[in-house]
């Protein structure tokens, strides 16, 4: 799945090229500026991404004082969530 296809499926429009983020060994991760705000896109095994999305949702529902990214959606092997995120070094 191409990043632009995943963005389009979720109704997002990139306003700049994706910026690769470091720190992960198992997946490819990018920060993407869109007309709707900054998002983080992660490309990995779809089942692993589904588990990550469920975990992020559970953390958000728990009322944690941590900054938890909100999952915007999963399109095949791409998971998109709100930024800032600890992965993009902004926190």
């Amino acid at each position: 799945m191409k990043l632009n296809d995943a963005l389009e499926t979720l109704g997002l429009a990139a306003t700049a090229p994706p910026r690769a983020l470091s720190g992960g060994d198992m997946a490819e991760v990018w920060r993407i500026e869109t007309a709707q705000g900054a998002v983080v896109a992660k490309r990995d095994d779809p089942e692993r991404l589904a588990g990550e999305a469920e975990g992020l949702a559970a953390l958000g529902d728990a009322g944690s004082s941590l900054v938890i990214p909100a999952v915007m959606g999963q399109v095949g092997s791409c998971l998109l969530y709100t930024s800032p995120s600890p992965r993009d070094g902004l926190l």
Side-chain angles (χ1 to χ4, degrees):
M1 164 79 45
K2 293 185 177 184
L3 289 178
N4 284 336
D5 294 340
L7 290 169
E8 185 176 310
T9 298
L10 296 174
L12 302 170
T15 58
R19 179 173 56 95
L21 302 177
S22 63
D25 292 330
M26 297 173 37
E28 298 173 287
V29 183
W30 300 269
R31 178 181 166 91
I32 305 167
E33 298 297 331
T34 73
Q36 297 80 6
V39 299
V40 173
K42 184 174 186 178
R43 187 166 37 208
D44 198 359
D45 174 74
E47 289 182 26
R48 192 169 20 240
L49 292 176
E52 182 171 341
E54 289 175 18
L56 288 171
L59 286 170
D61 291 345
S64 171
S65 62
L66 299 173
V67 176
I68 308 297
V71 174
M72 302 173 82
Q74 181 178 345
V75 181
S77 61
C78 290
L79 179 67
L80 288 95
Y81 49 89
T82 58
S83 185
S85 163
R87 286 289 311 261
D88 66 19
L90 295 178
L91 296 177

